[in-house]
Amino acid sequence: MSSSESTMPETAPAAPRTAAALLVPALAGGLVALALGVYGKAHDGTGIGVLLAGFSTAVAAKAWMTTVATALGVVQVVSALSLYGRLGRTPSWAGPVHRWSGRAAFLVAVPVAVHCLYALGFQATDGRVLMHSLLGCLFFGAFTVKMLCLRSDRLPGWALPVLGGVVFVLLVAVWLLSSVWFFNSNGLTT
């Protein structure tokens, strides 16, 4: 063996990319969704919401914050399309915009979820409310799966875009069943 061969580091073979790598994150996400649903159902809503300055009611604050989270979700989709080369040349700012809009969307969505779970609980008073409760729990479960998969190099190339799409579709569905319904019923009140 020559001296140059002895100093070369050995590289481990790349881990195979397989959908099985989704199993543990999917279980964790399922547990998050289930835990939120069980807590929301077991907890009697207090009726006390988080009232933010500038809003007339807690429900109005929730509707607007969900709208902001959804708008940031649109930024997420557009920046992800750019990062995946679907919009032509990827600008250097696409990555930071994607990361920071995701963080901001999450920070805006969490108080909405806390309000829903604490003040209202998991409800099934009619079909819209039941779907809103179910999809809200599923949203945070899917978000958990996506976050756990972000740094994995074992996932197939399709996994992260599909997970991001699922999270976005769930967010839009929750927004349609809550904010859009609220605005249609009450106008664009704050």
Side-chain angles (χ1 to χ4, degrees):
M1 182 182 325
S2 70
S3 62
S4 64
E5 288 178 305
S6 64
T7 59
M8 294 183 62
E10 289 186 35
T11 57
R17 292 178 167 262
T18 174
L22 285 167
L23 184 60
V24 171
L27 287 172
L31 288 173
V32 166
L34 183 63
L36 290 173
V38 167
Y39 171 78
K41 189 67 178 161
H43 169 74
D44 290 328
T46 64
I48 300 169
V50 178
L51 185 56
L52 298 175
F55 293 99
S56 57
T57 66
V59 177
K62 184 180 109 157
W64 281 104
M65 290 175 71
T66 305
T67 300
V68 169
T70 304
L72 289 165
V74 170
V75 172
Q76 283 277 282
V77 169
V78 171
S79 59
L81 287 170
S82 178
L83 289 169
Y84 279 95
R86 301 289 190 230
L87 301 178
R89 191 179 69 80
T90 302
S92 61
W93 49 262
V97 164
H98 187 76
R99 284 187 298 278
W100 283 102
S101 63
R103 291 171 182 150
F106 181 73
L107 289 174
V108 172
V110 167
V112 173
V114 169
H115 173 267
C116 288
L117 288 170
Y118 181 74
L120 306 171
F122 188 100
Q123 295 184 7
T125 54
D126 62 39
R128 180 193 65 80
V129 173
L130 173 62
M131 287 304 296
H132 175 74
S133 294
L134 288 170
L135 294 174
C137 294
L138 288 174
F139 167 78
F140 280 99
F143 181 82
T144 300
V145 176
K146 182 180 180 261
M147 291 299 104
L148 291 175
C149 290
L150 274 179
R151 300 288 180 205
S152 176
D153 57 355
R154 295 180 41 223
L155 294 173
W158 57 262
L160 206 52
V162 167
L163 291 170
V166 167
V167 169
F168 179 70
V169 166
L170 289 168
L171 177 60
V172 169
V174 169
W175 174 70
L176 289 170
L177 291 168
S178 60
S179 298
V180 171
W181 174 86
F182 176 81
F183 295 139
N184 283 335
S185 300
N186 300 290
L188 295 176
T189 62
T190 56

